[in-house]
Amino acid sequence: MGLVKQGSVSAGVLFLSTLFLCCAADVQYYELFMREANFTQLCNTTTLLVANDSYPGPEIRACRGDTIFINVHNQGNYSFTIHWHGVKQPRNPWSDGPEFITQCPIQPGANFTYEVILSDEIGTLWWHAHSDWTRGSIHGALVILPAQNETYPFPTPDFDQTIILQSWFNRDYKQIIDQTLASGLLPPEPDAYAINGHLGDTTGCPNDTLFRMQVQYGNTYLLRIVNAAMNEEKFFAIMNHTLTVVARDASYVQMFTTDYILISPGQTMDVLVVANQNVGQYYMATRPFSDGSAPPVNYITTGVFEYINSVGGLNASLITLPAENDTNAANNFTSQLRNANVTQNPPLDVPADDEINTRVYIAIAGNTLPCDPSRCVQGFRFAASLNNVSFVLPRIDILQAYYNMSISGVFTEDFPLNPPEFYDFTGDLSSLNTAAVQGTRVVMLNYGDGVEIVLQATQTGPGGSHPIHLHGFSFYWVGTGSGNFNNQTDPTTYNLVDPPLINTVHVPGRSWVALRFFANNPGVWFMHCHFDRHASWGMDAVFIVRNGTTAETSILPPPPGLPSCPSS
């Protein structure tokens, strides 16, 4: 089935929840065409590389356990890759997508067919470019419906609607990061934010449009919310309506009601809302959240939850959202996430204390690196690191080098499992030397290892929170706490009973989080901050899971047509 949308901005179609029929272990086929298109927003016309002429890109629908073949055609002016965010891709890192980690980019005029293997994921995920900042304009939802003869763990909603939260720039996204890295300076702030490609009615440009979701009184709607913003965590709410959270990162959670959600870049959330208020028009609204000293621009972006046959206007004074720096609101929301004990979720499989073979304690830091003053006016450039290693992308992808074994010098197997220096990570670090070392260092894991990763936020740079994403796995978020992690006392607070199973974790500022999983997916898997400025600066690492002892626990052979590396 082909995906070819025309027009400038994706309209946001309501889907009847039973419209897409699922068959047992089906195979789906799609085509995506990436090319430049013009978009007029903020009274300005911008040329962007997009999928099938739309922003956001087409929505891909499949059923749990399906395999999807997606032929991606590069008809644009520069190269890119595509990542299927949150899909575990069992034994199949070849189609995971991060540039120079598992593949080299698709060059202009070329194409590559990704094999996306779904396993136990259910609900909402998304796909996006994974090169430079190109994901800012190339992204879309990936909806995974219940398999044949499978039901939702709640009454079937009447309709579902995808909501994609975005950052809008009046410039090409790749040009932004290229110029930022060349100058060593901070990247610019977004010119606006968007909901499904619409900038709302607060921008001051009369041609900007509102995303409108038409609803029928009495119906229940499943919102599939994706935060595709570049560097901004987001609060989201619908005025006068209660939201019921039912899933996070394609895994069901214990349902809870709330007036708002907090969603970080990379995260997805499934939320029920009932159209049970007086017939009318109600704002849906989003704004950034930040707990650091350099918050993003604080725009409120609006859409409309519009009852059919409603009359009357909208009142912007009625918009209520937590304040941009409301850490209590952020923490109160995330603390409610718990794994749901339902048959539609995979059986709980949290590594016990005596099953942990590898412990990794990672300090997340903002850094600086030397830079030629003729290029960087301040004599240094901004950087970022994990355990003081600022990651350097190679020019041959790590997966190819690892799989072939005959290619050397691409990476080293010495990523530090602990910070090289212990200090008061969450204290006053104004006098700390923030220089980092550069390298392409990986963590080696044996197949089946029980792994614990503790992520420690630090007050280096502006401090604040980080959304950390691990490819190839969903992990159990078993613990969180403020201050510096104490490996003697803090593990006693872990939730090993019903921790949420997620793929992107919000690490609060001045705090730590603990994650556990079994390394049962052989391959090369990227871990990085989903604030793209941080990932571009080196806040990344790679985990390589060695093959097991059988063919069924080993990496699949490479597919035909893998893009060639520029140097090969």
Side-chain angles (χ1 to χ4, degrees):
M1 125 190 7
L3 283 179
V4 182
K5 284 191 178 180
Q6 301 297 327
S8 61
V9 173
S10 184
V13 178
L14 276 170
F15 286 92
L16 183 66
S17 60
T18 56
L19 184 64
F20 193 100
L21 297 178
C22 290
C23 302
D26 204 0
V27 177
Q28 311 283 346
Y29 297 89
Y30 291 94
E31 304 272 341
L32 292 175
F33 298 89
M34 313 300 181
R35 51 187 171 241
E36 277 74 19
N38 290 331
F39 297 82
T40 300
Q41 308 264 40
L42 297 176
C43 300
N44 179 80
T45 298
T46 304
T47 301
L48 299 176
L49 184 66
V50 295
N52 294 15
D53 303 314
S54 66
Y55 171 80
E59 181 171 297
I60 294 174
R61 292 202 159 213
C63 299
R64 188 180 215 166
D66 282 359
T67 297
I68 317 169
F69 289 93
I70 304 163
N71 191 0
V72 176
H73 303 261
N74 186 353
Q75 299 176 349
N77 294 325
Y78 50 82
S79 60
F80 59 84
T81 62
I82 300 294
H83 170 52
W84 316 95
H85 186 112
V87 178
K88 298 179 186 67
Q89 293 281 26
R91 304 172 50 219
N92 186 35
W94 305 103
S95 285
D96 187 48
E99 183 179 60
F100 295 119
I101 305 298
T102 62
Q103 72 168 96
C104 288
I106 306 169
Q107 299 296 319
N111 68 290
F112 175 58
T113 298
Y114 289 90
E115 181 183 12
V116 180
I117 302 173
L118 302 178
S119 53
D120 56 13
E121 305 91 353
I122 186 69
T124 307
L125 292 173
W126 65 304
W127 57 268
H128 60 81
H130 212 300
S131 308
D132 306 304
W133 276 25
T134 310
R135 80 165 179 86
S137 58
I138 294 181
H139 56 254
L142 172 56
V143 173
I144 305 169
L145 299 170
Q148 187 180 34
N149 300 322
E150 186 180 38
T151 62
Y152 294 99
F154 43 81
T156 300
D158 297 293
F159 295 91
D160 66 350
Q161 170 67 63
T162 297
I163 303 287
I164 300 183
L165 310 179
Q166 302 155 295
S167 306
W168 176 262
F169 291 84
N170 282 331
R171 299 161 60 188
D172 177 81
Y173 290 83
K174 185 177 186 303
Q175 291 176 0
I176 292 171
I177 191 58
D178 285 350
Q179 293 170 8
T180 295
L181 294 179
S183 68
L185 299 173
L186 296 170
E189 292 284 348
D191 296 294
Y193 303 119
I195 300 175
N196 285 356
H198 300 264
L199 272 55
D201 62 358
T202 62
T203 64
C205 178
N207 294 327
D208 289 336
T209 56
L210 277 160
F211 168 69
R212 293 180 178 271
M213 176 181 169
Q214 286 206 326
V215 300
Q216 179 71 52
Y217 181 85
N219 281 348
T220 299
Y221 296 85
L222 176 60
L223 304 183
R224 303 182 178 277
I225 305 173
V226 178
N227 187 347
M230 299 302 291
N231 297 295
E232 299 86 26
E233 299 183 285
K234 293 295 189 89
F235 289 119
F236 173 87
I238 299 176
M239 303 311 109
N240 290 35
H241 289 76
T242 298
L243 307 177
T244 302
V245 178
V246 297
R248 246 290 309 275
D249 290 356
S251 178
Y252 291 119
V253 299
Q254 296 177 28
M255 294 187 292
F256 64 93
T257 59
T258 179
D259 293 331
Y260 64 91
I261 66 167
L262 173 73
I263 184 167
S264 299
Q267 292 179 349
T268 57
M269 203 167 295
D270 291 4
V271 175
L272 295 173
V273 59
V274 180
N276 58 4
Q277 298 299 301
N278 293 332
V279 172
Q281 299 182 73
Y282 298 84
Y283 272 117
M284 61 175 68
T286 179
R287 70 145 28 115
F289 163 74
S290 175
D291 55 2
S293 62
V297 61
N298 188 17
Y299 297 136
I300 290 179
T301 304
T302 53
V304 181
F305 193 75
E306 183 176 63
Y307 285 71
I308 294 172
N309 299 323
S310 62
V311 295
L314 293 158
N315 187 345
S317 66
L318 300 179
I319 295 176
T320 55
L321 284 166
E324 182 182 28
N325 61 352
D326 191 339
T327 56
N328 287 333
N331 294 336
N332 288 341
F333 176 80
T334 58
S335 67
Q336 298 182 75
L337 291 166
R338 293 286 187 274
N339 192 289
N341 181 19
V342 295
T343 58
Q344 294 89 340
N345 267 351
L348 196 72
D349 193 22
V350 186
D353 292 347
D354 59 0
E355 294 177 303
I356 300 297
N357 308 102
T358 302
R359 284 184 164 86
V360 189
Y361 181 32
I362 296 178
I364 304 169
N367 304 87
T368 56
L369 287 169
C371 185
D372 187 340
S374 66
R375 183 164 67 91
C376 301
V377 295
Q378 69 271 51
F380 65 86
R381 64 180 179 88
F382 289 101
S385 69
L386 299 175
N387 278 352
N388 212 47
V389 178
S390 186
F391 188 82
V392 177
L393 282 175
R395 303 314 295 173
I396 296 174
D397 65 274
I398 294 174
L399 175 58
Q400 181 184 164
Y402 170 71
Y403 188 83
N404 290 335
M405 296 298 182
S406 59
I407 303 174
S408 61
V410 175
F411 64 92
T412 58
E413 299 180 6
D414 58 349
F415 181 87
L417 301 187
N418 288 287
E421 177 185 357
F422 281 80
Y423 51 90
D424 183 5
F425 297 117
T426 58
D428 180 3
L429 303 179
S430 56
S431 61
L432 184 74
N433 181 0
T434 59
V437 299
Q438 292 183 279
T440 308
R441 304 185 184 184
V442 309
V443 178
M444 301 299 299
L445 300 172
N446 291 320
Y447 183 89
D449 274 356
V451 182
E452 177 177 296
I453 301 174
V454 174
L455 298 165
Q456 174 72 63
T458 72
Q459 284 300 102
T460 55
S465 56
H466 300 273
I468 302 295
H469 172 51
L470 176 62
H471 293 220
F473 295 91
S474 291
F475 48 76
Y476 291 99
W477 172 28
V478 298
T480 189
S482 60
N484 300 324
F485 177 73
N486 184 311
N487 63 2
Q488 298 299 312
T489 59
D490 284 331
T492 65
T493 69
Y494 285 180
N495 171 20
L496 303 181
V497 177
D498 55 4
L501 184 65
I502 60 178
N503 62 61
T504 305
V505 66
H506 163 81
V507 184
R510 298 181 185 268
S511 301
W512 56 268
V513 301
L515 321 171
R516 286 188 177 183
F517 63 95
F518 284 108
N520 55 9
N521 193 9
V524 174
W525 307 110
F526 201 31
M527 186 178 77
H528 60 94
C529 183
H530 229 282
F531 289 153
D532 273 47
R533 67 179 184 274
H534 292 167
S536 301
W537 287 340
M539 195 176 283
D540 322 291
V542 170
F543 289 78
I544 295 181
V545 180
R546 297 182 177 97
N547 285 339
T549 58
T550 66
E552 290 73 25
T553 58
S554 299
I555 299 174
L556 293 169
L562 271 174
S564 299
C565 295
S567 58
S568 63

